[in-house]
Every structure is written in structure tokens, then in C-alpha cells.
Amino acid sequence: MTLRIGSLLLLAGGAAWAAPRPAAAQQPADTALVASYRATAGRLIAAATADTAAWLRLAELTDRFGSRISGSESLERALDWVLDEMRRDGLESVHGERAMVPHWVRGSESLDLVEPRRGRLPMLGLGRSVGTPPEGITAPVLVVSDSNELAAHAAEARGRIVLFDAPYVSYGETVRYRVRGAVLASRLGAVAALLRSVSPFDMSTPHTGTTAYDSSARPIPFAAISIEDAAMLHRMQGRGQPVVVTLKMEARTLPDVPSRNVVAELRGTERPDEVVVISGHLDSWDVGTGAMDDGGGFVAAWQALLTMKRLGLRPRRTVRLVGWTNEEYGTRGGLAYRDAHAPDLGKHDLAIESDGGVFRPIGFGFTGSDSAFAVVRAIGGLLAPIGADTITRGGGGTDIGPIMQRGVPGMGLNADGSRYFWYHHSDADTVDKLDPREMAKCVAAMAVMAYVVADLPGQLPRGGAPPAGE
Ligand SMILES: [Zn+2]
């Protein structure tokens, strides 16, 4: 399939970049070509970092609409506002592209410690969790550190609420408990499950996120608690004290509802049907204001397109801004885009997503062919003045994942991630966590990468294995 896409591109584009040439001969030529963009890159960087417009716009978006979970009115009103603003900006082809999205609602919820003492514990139900009966579930707690410990105490899980107090190793490693915890506990007869928030640090602020069920076990309610309280319940159990809690959750899943990806463009001068996508997702969880995850990523991409427009820089190909819907629990925006644009995915040169927080940019992670990697690494060199010149292998984004699996080269903005998971999916994900000057550098990085790729004489070479499915 990859080979077929590659040869189609050769036929369609006939571009020099797509021609199979020995890597050794190709790279110096690519580097020289990219170097010819140095002055333009300098203009983009200077304009993007001259003010803090991106941060101010993100502050307005998040202050006006608050959190924007899929299925909510606040998300749809935010999308309307973004479309209006993009039209006011004078961007081209401004429109929404329909996607049906899941609609999970939290309702009211609470967790009360009953024994060994009474007290209310901050909690957040996990996305897609089922609820409890109205009177809640009152049961003794079994605290485990990991799945091995759960297996060792399998006989004690029946009728209890299992708390996974898994120490944070990395997001990718530890999030497994959030995704699988309910199934692991339910298989052993547990009546509900709790999770130490997947975060290296918090201040009694639980972190939500999506969970999953499968046909191997009855769905049981599943909620995150703070790191502090997980540690406390663990200590209580260690002392041999009975730990009993009452969990109440109204969470439920309603029928799917229509939503939209929002789109705006700067149409290309020579090959407007060929596209470079720059993007972030506009939905968030229903806590905090989704500033870091991922209003900031979308607004940085938006401001990158505006920076090109305001400088009168119109590349050969079209740069398409996409604000995705439903990244957080379903990826329906990315899937709908893949399906709606299936016939023209061969003309998607590159898709860029920012979804790791618009902190100090470091560079980009890239997934695509070796020869394309050489090109984008050379372009990355243009970002040395803002320290965003580290281009690494591997990268993309959840929303662009579906088109990457169809062979579109993908790229994710990499930023300093040291604080990202402190705030991620919690009430603390608010705009004050982002530095206006760092965010402006993210705008610059996206503008330079997107502009140069869109303006190169030939398409980025395709090839290489598409990323594994999610
Ligand atoms: Zn995100």
C-alpha cells in the first residue's frame, strides 16, 4: 500500500523531491535549497515572536467558553466563535466539517471516606465510565501498587473497590492502569475501581482521562483520586485499618451528537490542491479550561497561519489549519477528516499537530520516509534562533493518526514537557500555566515548518511503513 501511494505521487506530482535518488547525493542539495529560506524563516520568527497575540487569544477562548468536552454546548459555541474569528481574520475557505461525536456526561459525583474516619476526598470520574446506583457504592477498599500485586491478592478483590496506587513512571507506562484498571478489577469481582491520578505531581487535583471496558468483564464505575489521597489510603491499609468509602457517580453515555472540525486555509499559489495541515484539537475534558490540552496547540497553529498571511507570504501549496473535535475520547474528528478527504490524501504533503502543550518549543518529531526526514531536519535548522531545531524520528498526533496510517507524513511539535502532566486533564489546566513568550515561539516554529514544506518545489517524499494502528 505504501509503495502504491509512493508511485501514485510520482505520477501525479512528477516532483524532483519524490524521485528516488541516492540519499548521499540528495542531502546536500536539500540542505542548500532549505538554506535559501533562511531570510523568510527569519521574518516569520520575528513576526511571530513580536507580540503575545496567541496567548491573548487563547486566554479569550478559554475564559469565554471554559472547558469544551465533546457533546457539550460549550464546545459547539467555541467552534462557532472560532469560525467567526477566522472569517474576521480574512482567512480563506473557513468552514466546519461535520463529525458525529460521543457524548459522555459526568453528572454529579463524590467520594466519601467512611472508615477509618469520615471525610470527603476530591475525585474525578474517568471519561466513559459508567455511573453508580443513586445511593452510591459503599465497600471496603483494596489498595494495590500494580497488576502483579492485584494478581497476588486476587481472592480479596471480590466485593471491594480496587484502588490502583501505581507510581508514576511515565505517562505512556502508567496510563495503562487508567485504560485497563476497570477491566482488571471487574474480572476479579470488584464492584468499582479507583486510580491514583496519572501525574508526577499534583496538589490534591485529580486528573481525569478516558478509560475503557471490554466484553471480558462487567463495566464498573472508575474514578481518579489525588496522589495524596491514594498514598493516604495505602498507608491506612498498611496499618491494618479497614478502609471503606462511598463512591457516587451519575456518569452516563448519551447518544452521539454532531460536532465539527473547523478549517481555514491560505490557498497555495501554484498547487492549491496540495496541502500542508497544521492543527490542534479544540475539544478538552470537562475540567479546567483545556488551555494547555489543547486550546494552546490549536491557537498556535491558527496564529502561525495568520503570521504567514500578515507577512504576505503565500506558499506554493495550501496551508490548511484544522481545529479537531473529539480528540479526548474517540478521535472522531480525525477519523471523519480521513474519510471525507480520502480521495485527496495523496496530496497531503505533511500533517502537523501540536498536542503536547505550547511550552518552550524544542523541535518536532517526524514520522515518514528517510528522505523526507532529511528534508524536515534541514528545515528544522532554520529554527535554531529560537532553540526549536531538534528534529527527531517518530512523532505525530492522535488526530492526524488516521491520515498518517494512510501514508501522510506526520509531525508533532515537541515542547518542554516537564510540567505538562502536572496539569493535564485536571482543573489546573488553565491559561496561566503557559508563558506568552514560549507560546509565541511555538507559533514561530509551526509557521516556519509549515511554510517551507508548503513552498518547496517538490512534495515531501513518501514511503516507509505507516505508523502502527492505535
Ligand atoms: Zn490533547
Side-chain angles (χ1 to χ4, degrees):
M1 179 181 154
T2 309
L3 279 176
R4 216 177 311 137
I5 291 173
S7 38
L8 270 178
L9 282 180
L10 266 176
L11 290 173
W17 288 95
R21 286 180 291 163
Q26 186 175 336
Q27 184 148 352
D30 294 348
T31 308
L33 176 61
V34 168
S36 71
Y37 285 97
R38 194 168 300 282
T40 304
R43 289 179 66 204
L44 285 164
I45 292 169
T49 57
D51 59 33
T52 57
W55 189 94
L56 292 170
R57 198 160 220 177
L58 176 63
E60 183 171 5
L61 168 72
T62 55
D63 290 347
R64 267 179 184 254
F65 303 102
S67 66
R68 303 171 304 282
I69 192 172
S70 295
S72 68
E73 213 184 297
S74 63
L75 172 60
E76 296 310 310
R77 288 195 295 113
L79 296 174
D80 286 338
W81 178 80
V82 167
L83 287 166
D84 285 348
E85 290 285 300
M86 294 194 305
R87 283 188 195 103
R88 252 195 289 277
D89 288 341
L91 294 173
E92 295 151 19
S93 315
V94 174
H95 65 283
E97 297 189 1
R98 185 181 161 98
M100 291 299 288
V101 298
H103 188 191
W104 176 82
V105 292
R106 174 180 306 284
S108 43
E109 56 182 17
S110 61
L111 180 67
D112 286 297
L113 184 61
V114 178
E115 284 186 52
R117 64 172 170 82
R118 293 203 165 257
R120 178 146 287 194
L121 308 179
M123 55 79 77
L124 279 175
L126 293 173
R128 287 182 143 155
S129 176
V130 297
T132 65
E135 69 278 15
I137 295 174
T138 300
V141 175
L142 170 66
V143 189
V144 296
S145 296
D146 55 36
S147 48
N148 292 333
E149 203 176 318
L150 178 63
H153 293 268
E156 298 158 49
R158 181 161 302 279
R160 294 213 195 181
I161 295 175
V162 170
L163 164 59
F164 293 92
D165 182 27
Y168 183 86
V169 179
S170 68
Y171 186 71
E173 174 76 16
T174 313
V175 79
R176 293 180 303 141
Y177 288 100
R178 193 188 77 205
V179 176
R180 296 288 293 162
V183 170
L184 296 176
S186 179
R187 279 181 189 160
L188 300 176
V191 290
L194 297 172
L195 177 79
R196 163 181 162 151
S197 287
V198 183
S199 174
F201 171 81
D202 75 33
M203 296 179 74
S204 290
T205 44
H207 301 244
T208 190
T210 195
T211 188
Y213 299 111
D214 68 25
S215 56
S216 73
R218 184 178 69 90
I220 56 172
F222 194 14
I225 63 172
S226 70
I227 295 176
E228 293 92 329
D229 287 337
M232 178 184 73
L233 299 181
H234 211 157
R235 288 193 302 272
M236 288 169 167
Q237 174 178 281
R239 289 183 200 110
Q241 293 175 294
V243 179
V244 178
V245 298
T246 298
L247 176 67
K248 286 186 186 173
M249 292 169 62
E250 287 182 349
R252 64 201 186 283
T253 299
L254 302 171
D256 289 0
V257 293
S259 182
R260 296 154 285 169
N261 294 321
V262 294
V263 178
E265 293 179 343
L266 196 57
R267 300 285 290 168
T269 52
E270 289 179 15
R271 299 179 187 179
D273 57 330
E274 292 181 16
V275 175
V276 169
V277 169
I278 52 175
S279 67
H281 66 86
L282 271 161
D283 69 302
S284 72
W285 282 105
D286 58 337
V287 293
T289 60
M292 194 191 68
D293 184 14
D294 178 35
F298 170 73
V299 172
W302 182 2
Q303 207 67 24
L305 192 66
L306 266 182
T307 305
M308 291 175 216
K309 178 186 161 51
R310 287 178 180 156
L311 290 176
L313 289 170
R314 185 181 287 272
R316 289 182 167 95
R317 295 176 196 75
T318 294
V319 180
R320 178 178 294 160
L321 167 68
V322 182
W324 307 102
T325 190
N326 186 228
E327 187 274 345
E328 295 292 3
Y329 65 106
T331 324
R332 298 281 189 83
L335 292 166
Y337 184 94
R338 177 198 68 191
D339 294 343
H341 294 271
D344 43 289
L345 290 182
K347 293 190 172 182
H348 280 56
D349 261 28
L350 176 67
I352 305 176
E353 178 160 6
S354 167
D355 189 19
V358 283
F359 296 98
R360 179 178 56 79
I362 293 164
F364 292 91
F366 175 74
T367 300
S369 68
D370 288 341
S371 40
F373 180 64
V375 176
V376 297
R377 201 174 42 185
I379 298 170
L382 301 173
L383 294 168
I386 53 167
D389 54 335
T390 303
I391 312 297
T392 52
R393 267 291 194 188
T398 304
D399 304 285
I400 61 175
I403 61 172
M404 289 171 66
Q405 284 173 33
R406 297 283 171 90
V408 176
M411 192 179 252
L413 177 69
N414 287 334
D416 169 19
S418 55
R419 285 164 293 156
Y420 183 74
F421 290 107
W422 295 6
Y423 314 121
H424 181 250
H425 296 181
S426 82
D427 275 319
D429 180 357
T430 48
V431 73
D432 49 281
K433 306 307 186 305
L434 295 162
D435 180 313
R437 288 154 304 170
E438 289 183 350
M439 185 173 175
K441 287 181 184 174
C442 291
V443 173
M446 291 181 93
V448 169
M449 183 58 72
Y451 176 83
V452 177
V453 172
D455 196 59
L456 288 172
Q459 273 201 305
L460 270 190
R462 292 284 179 108
E470 286 163 277

